[in-house]
Amino acid sequence: MIIHKQLAAGRWYELSLTEQLANIGSEVERALDFQKRKDDRAIPAFERSLDLFDLTLADARLRGRYKEIARTREVVCDYFVGDNEYRSTQESLRRYFYPYFLAFAKNR
Amino acid sequence: MQELQQLAKSLYGEHAELVKAVIDVERCIMAIGGEMHSDEEAMLLEDGSKQQYLWGINIYPNKLKTEWIEFDSMINLRPSQHNRTRGVENLALREQITAIVGKLVEP
């Protein structure tokens, strides 16, 4: 599910929202795994997820659907680099993206 | 300004000190009154704003104009624009935001 960075901006807008969120979820999952192992690669993975969130928020096809995407981005930021005031856990973040992984796998 | 003070109280209670706002520095407009900065960001995106021009701040209507803007929002975390904190790292951009808010909010 990894999209090469150089292709991200072009191919991203060929993906459905489900596929985009599955890809974002992959980066979040990677960041969570690195975080669990106290590996410094957690923050670069988290930052890559933000880049993908931002591509999605620039997707004109999704007009009318930005609110939840923007909120999710904020919650992920709050968890990794904020005060975790929204009280996220590794489990709650995984649970959010899991349906998109399933839908992506089902549609392949 | 009074309107902002009342808005803060209606959103966050009688002792509220701030309102969250998102500024579009390209269109020189501002969204306020959202529960989260991302709500205001989403509203401006729906309205045609581009995310690269949107920056989140907190406005403290009871403070002096020299200290009423706090550059602190999760939506500002944008590695693609080399902004890796919740603040607004570019000084010129902070000045631009301050000027826009100054024009939009009457004392």
Side-chain angles (χ1 to χ4, degrees), chain B residues 56-105:
Chain B
I57 62 171
N58 297 318
I59 301 175
Y60 291 81
N62 296 328
K63 286 194 177 176
L64 295 172
K65 227 169 176 187
T66 48
E67 35 179 56
W68 68 325
I69 294 176
E70 179 182 47
F71 297 94
D72 182 7
S73 170
M74 292 293 177
I75 73 161
N76 296 339
L77 273 152
R78 238 175 264 153
S80 58
Q81 288 178 255
H82 308 293
N83 204 85
R84 285 188 160 77
T85 68
R86 284 156 54 168
V88 175
E89 294 173 25
N90 182 295
L91 174 60
L93 192 47
R94 290 203 301 275
E95 288 172 353
Q96 190 182 3
I97 292 165
T98 303
I100 291 169
V101 175
K103 282 186 191 152
L104 293 174
V105 178

Side-chain angles (χ1 to χ4, degrees), chain B residues 28-51:
Chain B
C28 297
I29 58 175
M30 177 169 76
I32 58 172
E35 192 179 346
M36 294 163 78
H37 285 114
S38 56
D39 296 339
E40 294 156 352
E41 180 190 36
M43 187 172 81
L44 288 171
L45 289 170
E46 305 292 358
D47 191 57
S49 289
K50 298 188 184 75
Q51 197 205 15

Side-chain angles (χ1 to χ4, degrees), chain A:
Chain A
M1 279 194 278
I2 299 169
I3 291 187
H4 191 283
K5 200 173 173 183
Q6 287 173 344
L7 297 175
R11 278 195 55 206
W12 195 255
Y13 301 120
E14 296 171 15
L15 302 180
S16 67
L17 178 57
T18 293
E19 289 167 325
Q20 289 179 8
L21 286 170
N23 274 279
I24 293 169
S26 280
E27 290 301 333
V28 172
E29 178 71 39
R30 195 166 291 116
L32 290 171
D33 283 341
F34 285 136
Q35 185 195 55
K36 204 169 178 181
R37 291 185 265 149
K38 296 188 183 359
D39 189 319
D40 286 345
R41 286 175 285 179
I43 291 300
F46 154 69
E47 289 186 352
R48 278 196 300 277
S49 78
L50 294 191
D51 288 342
L52 296 182
F53 266 117
D54 293 347
L55 287 175
T56 294
L57 287 170
D59 190 338
R61 298 173 299 166
L62 300 175
R63 204 161 217 159
R65 306 173 78 182
Y66 293 132
K67 183 164 178 167
E68 180 167 337
I69 299 161
R71 275 208 173 198
T72 306
R73 186 191 188 282
E74 174 151 353
V75 168
V76 167
C77 286
D78 172 61
Y79 175 78
F80 279 104
V81 294
D83 298 326
N84 200 16
E85 60 182 282
Y86 305 122
R87 301 183 193 215
S88 301
T89 61
Q90 288 228 343
E91 182 54 34
S92 69
L93 289 175
R94 288 195 166 98
R95 240 188 356 253
Y96 178 81
F97 288 103
Y98 189 62
Y100 300 106
F101 295 144
L102 287 181
F104 183 83
K106 182 171 159 257
N107 292 336
R108 286 181 82 182

